[in-house]
Amino acid sequence: MRIGQLLGTGRSADVYELDEQWVLRRYRVGLDATREMPVMSYLSASGYPVPRLGPLPVSAGPGDLVLERLTGPTMLESLVSGELGGDEGSAMLAGLLADLHSVPARLSADPEDRILHLDLHPGNVMLTADGPVVIDWSGTEEGPPALDRAMSALILAQVAVDPRVPEAAGARALLDTLMPLLAADDGIPAHHLAGAAARRAANPTMSPAEVALIGEASDLVAALSG
């Protein structure tokens, strides 16, 4: 496997070019990518928009994943540039959450459980010619859909209350239009919002400044939920 140029980098992984069809995503922090593969395969078979998985070479490590090379901006990039409007973006995000939660859980015996992304925000949605595709399934679990909705809302709220970032106003506008759409899917109960806040606080990739915003962000989500 010849690894090409670095295409992108995130909080915990780097993405490298392999060829025109495939990329290599490699964790930097010792995470195991193999747990994501059956989830993504299951979702793809269910019709949910995830990147196709490619064959892993024998030299691949546990933190490597070969993925379809997607072409297009992220939803975040399109929102910032103005190419995608806030109302359209919030409807797309709410739709992706609702569609994900319509897929039965793969492992759980609880009929109410669903597959959760737990990091579904505009930076993890690629806008391709064939439609939006959800990336980065590193935190996926199974559980109550309201927890997933809480995580997405809380992530946006953290940006919205951060005075240091230029995207704050846009994140607040997106959150304002997203919350009524999430309410149509039974909303975000307080105990799931608290659970999402605890998970965010325990995320080792977050800076102390980001963690310090969780309380204010939680209060904002709670206020918009009420």
Side-chain angles (χ1 to χ4, degrees):
M1 175 176 63
R2 187 190 68 81
I3 298 177
Q5 66 177 325
L6 178 68
L7 298 176
T9 186
R11 287 179 181 265
S12 59
D14 299 314
V15 178
Y16 297 91
E17 179 185 45
L18 292 180
D19 56 33
E20 293 183 355
Q21 286 188 296
W22 303 103
V23 297
L24 172 73
R25 196 199 67 194
R26 172 169 286 170
Y27 281 126
R28 296 190 305 274
V29 292
L31 296 175
D32 187 351
T34 57
R35 60 187 296 273
E36 302 166 54
M37 297 174 65
V39 178
M40 294 177 67
S41 294
Y42 175 74
L43 288 172
S44 180
S46 300
Y48 192 76
V50 298
R52 289 184 296 122
L53 292 168
L56 282 170
V58 293
S59 60
D64 291 349
L65 205 58
V66 174
L67 299 168
E68 171 189 10
R69 185 169 184 171
L70 301 173
T71 301
T74 65
M75 183 192 294
L76 176 60
E77 291 168 337
S78 288
L79 287 167
V80 170
S81 70
E83 186 175 346
L84 183 70
D87 289 350
E88 186 180 0
S90 58
M92 185 181 296
L93 198 60
L96 288 168
L97 283 164
D99 289 347
L100 176 61
H101 301 152
S102 71
V103 180
R106 187 175 67 93
L107 299 175
S108 175
D110 187 332
E112 300 299 317
D113 281 352
R114 294 293 186 268
I115 294 174
L116 312 182
H117 186 281
L118 297 178
D119 198 22
L120 212 173
H121 57 77
N124 277 336
V125 179
M126 297 284 294
L127 303 183
T128 75
D130 295 322
V133 178
V134 180
I135 63 173
D136 191 0
W137 291 86
S138 58
T140 184
E141 296 181 14
E142 295 185 357
L147 177 60
D148 220 3
R149 295 193 293 269
M151 288 292 288
S152 292
L154 185 60
I155 291 166
L156 285 176
Q158 278 184 271
V159 179
V161 301
D162 191 343
R164 304 164 304 160
V165 298
E167 298 87 4
R172 176 58 195 266
L174 187 65
L175 187 64
D176 285 343
T177 54
L178 176 66
M179 291 301 294
L181 301 177
L182 298 185
D185 286 324
D186 299 326
I188 301 173
H191 66 287
H192 287 307
L193 178 57
R199 286 169 177 265
R200 291 291 288 170
N203 187 331
T205 69
M206 295 189 64
S207 69
E210 289 174 312
V211 172
L213 295 171
I214 292 175
E216 185 179 356
S218 296
D219 290 343
L220 175 58
V221 174
L224 293 175
S225 296

